[in-house]
Amino acid sequence: MDAGLKLKKATYHLWTFTISKLISSFGAQVYTFAISFYILQATGSATSFATNLICNLLPRTLAAPFAGYLVDRYSRKRIIIVAQIATTLAIGGLLAVSLTSGLSLTAIYATSCILSLTSMFSGVTFTSSVTGLVDEARVQRAMSLNQMSISFASIASPAVGGLLYGAVSMPIFLMTYMIASVIAVLLESTMNFNLYANRKETAEGEPKESMWQSMKAGVSYLKLQPLLMVIIWVSLLINFLFGAFEVGYSFVLIEKLKMASQHFGFTQGAFAVGMLLFSIYFSIRKEVQFPLVVSKRGIIGMGVIMGMMALPLLIKLSYNGAFGYYTLAMFVFGALVIIVNTPIQVMMQKQIADDYKGRVFSIVETMAMALMPLGMVLYGFLYDIFPAQWILISSAALLVGVVLVMVRPSVIKNAHPELGEGKALKTEASVVS
């Protein structure tokens, strides 16, 4: 294909990819908001809420290694389209249940399991396909625009969901998600996932790897990437401890502080605004030079914010004061998420070979989420037994301690050999270098 035509097609991919993500993310966010609020209001139990979170995490954690094999072996475009169609059918099934016999926790949990699998397949495939959809010079912009679309959906959907919750029926929420999913399928079907791909073709007569051999090859490849290994082990423990925030944030605001649905939605919207603004920043700035340093500082900041979530439970604030406090805290938290994730994601896109991306990204996702279901179960029980403020503070302290130990200056020097001992320490003083 002519170089100029490829660049035009890449530009089309850049915006189609962004719009597709925006539409599907908006539907998913509206659905998640409505279901989370429904469970907490119907049961009042952090355990029931945590169980739904587990249904969103456990299936994708178990299936991710197999998804990586399929993504590297078969058509990535076909996998994404099938996953999006399955999402539409799953929501349609829950809609049928709600109209015939009413929503039940069993139906919600089953749907969450299916959506967990479809979103995992879609997410791993899209992540593995970025360098096939756009030219290398625009990889950071593509990742930033992708995050911007998710952030924009996160801003609008909780606010809309909070305003509409109670004013419209649950079937309206489900129908919104279905329509968004169908539009996403149509957009994704027009994209060429092999435009810039550099995947090795299997020669005729050459024996194909078995699934087990392919997965072992992915692990072997990953072991040769020291920076990725550091990211994986840090993610394993950090995401476990973030269970305190995942369960506790909604539980504290809805159950303990009795925050109205529209105000709760606006605090989530503030989180998305922080993500959006920093996604825009990363879409126009040059590539971060030392991703691990930036991520370390960002995670420490997230730990501090998580501990500060307990403050309104220790110091009595007015309703408006608590609302403003959590809005500001969530804005900062959203900004820190982008500071942590974007540099690492761009580095991984450029460092990992196309033939291994599906397997490597699936392994990274599996390891990052391996302890999250356990964390959801544990924190679900803890919040029903112990004061929420002490759970948040102790978990935040553990999180900061883990990062300081696992990403110490010697580890940073090994991950970034161009940094000397003194320079490694000096560089850590900058959040975005």
Side-chain angles (χ1 to χ4, degrees):
M1 185 183 295
D2 177 74
L5 187 58
K6 286 182 73 172
L7 284 174
K8 288 182 179 180
K9 188 68 174 175
T11 301
Y12 170 79
H13 284 163
L14 200 63
W15 296 109
T16 305
F17 175 70
T18 303
I19 294 169
S20 171
K21 278 289 186 179
L22 175 62
I23 293 172
S24 58
S25 295
F26 181 80
Q29 292 283 347
V30 169
Y31 168 81
T32 300
F33 180 92
I35 290 298
S36 298
F37 223 95
Y38 175 84
I39 291 174
L40 283 171
Q41 285 201 329
T43 67
S45 170
T47 301
S48 297
F49 178 73
T51 300
N52 189 56
L53 292 178
I54 292 169
C55 290
N56 279 305
L57 290 173
L58 187 58
R60 66 185 299 151
T61 303
L62 296 176
F66 304 100
Y69 163 75
L70 294 174
V71 168
D72 283 340
R73 180 76 177 273
Y74 299 103
S75 167
R76 291 175 178 175
K77 180 176 182 177
R78 188 176 302 167
I79 291 172
I80 284 178
I81 292 175
V82 170
Q84 200 67 54
I85 291 173
T87 297
T88 307
L89 294 176
I91 295 298
L94 187 61
L95 176 61
V97 169
S98 69
L99 292 174
T100 55
S101 57
L103 283 178
S104 67
L105 287 179
T106 301
I108 291 172
Y109 294 157
T111 303
S112 294
C113 288
I114 296 171
L115 295 180
S116 171
L117 290 172
T118 58
S119 66
M120 181 271 297
F121 272 94
S122 180
V124 169
T125 308
F126 256 129
T127 302
S128 303
S129 303
V130 170
T131 52
L133 290 167
V134 300
D135 52 297
E136 185 176 344
R138 289 189 281 185
V139 170
Q140 177 162 304
R141 189 180 183 195
M143 299 302 295
S144 298
L145 286 173
N146 172 49
Q147 192 60 65
M148 284 169 58
S149 65
I150 296 172
S151 302
F152 187 78
S154 298
I155 294 169
S157 56
V160 171
L163 291 171
L164 293 180
Y165 190 83
V168 299
S169 62
M170 183 60 70
I172 298 298
F173 283 96
L174 299 179
M175 289 174 64
T176 301
Y177 192 5
M178 282 187 66
I179 293 170
S181 184
V182 169
I183 295 173
V185 171
L186 296 175
L187 289 173
E188 290 157 4
S189 65
T190 67
M191 300 168 71
N192 178 4
F193 284 75
N194 295 315
L195 186 64
Y196 285 93
N198 187 25
R199 301 174 69 182
K200 178 184 175 183
E201 296 290 337
T202 302
E204 188 175 348
E206 181 182 335
K208 293 183 178 180
E209 286 182 320
S210 67
M211 181 172 67
W212 178 244
Q213 290 173 327
S214 179
M215 292 168 66
K216 284 178 63 178
V219 173
S220 299
Y221 177 85
L222 186 58
K223 287 180 178 177
L224 299 176
Q225 311 294 326
L227 182 53
L228 293 182
M229 293 303 297
V230 171
I231 293 168
I232 286 174
W233 288 112
V234 170
S235 297
L236 182 69
L237 295 176
I238 294 305
N239 285 330
F240 170 77
L241 293 170
F242 265 124
F245 176 81
E246 293 289 339
V247 177
Y249 170 70
S250 299
F251 182 69
V252 167
L253 267 67
I254 297 173
E255 275 299 302
K256 296 298 183 181
L257 301 180
K258 306 298 181 184
M259 191 165 288
S261 62
Q262 61 268 32
H263 293 151
F264 177 72
F266 280 124
T267 65
Q268 288 189 315
F271 172 80
V273 170
M275 293 179 68
L276 177 63
L277 293 180
F278 272 75
S279 294
I280 295 172
Y281 169 68
F282 276 106
S283 72
I284 59 176
R285 65 150 286 153
K286 66 180 182 179
E287 201 170 309
V288 172
Q289 190 175 3
F290 303 113
L292 191 60
V293 177
V294 174
S295 292
K296 175 182 177 178
R297 304 295 293 185
I299 295 171
I300 291 174
M302 291 168 71
V304 172
I305 294 296
M306 185 170 81
M308 291 176 64
M309 291 291 179
L311 188 61
L313 297 176
L314 297 171
I315 302 174
K316 187 171 179 60
L317 298 176
S318 65
Y319 181 90
N320 289 334
F323 169 61
Y325 178 82
Y326 281 113
T327 300
L328 178 61
M330 289 300 285
F331 172 84
V332 176
F333 198 83
L336 289 170
V337 167
I338 299 302
I339 290 173
V340 171
N341 289 342
T342 301
I344 292 294
Q345 289 173 351
V346 174
M347 179 274 298
M348 291 172 69
Q349 285 290 341
K350 295 193 173 184
Q351 188 178 87
I352 302 168
D354 271 355
D355 286 325
Y356 289 92
K357 279 183 178 173
R359 282 164 288 179
V360 171
F361 281 123
S362 66
I363 292 170
V364 171
E365 177 164 333
T366 300
M367 291 297 290
M369 296 192 304
L371 294 181
M372 287 185 73
L374 176 61
M376 297 301 178
V377 172
L378 175 63
Y379 283 111
F381 284 116
L382 289 177
Y383 278 111
D384 281 338
I385 298 173
F386 298 106
Q389 58 268 34
W390 302 120
I391 297 174
L392 286 167
I393 292 172
S394 59
S395 298
L398 283 172
L399 188 150
V400 172
V402 165
V403 175
L404 291 175
V405 171
M406 296 191 70
V407 196
R408 54 195 177 275
S410 61
V411 173
I412 290 175
K413 184 191 172 187
N414 289 333
H416 300 299
E418 62 272 30
L419 286 173
E421 289 285 355
K423 194 174 180 182
L425 291 167
K426 184 179 179 181
T427 304
E428 285 195 64
S430 174
V431 175
V432 179
S433 58

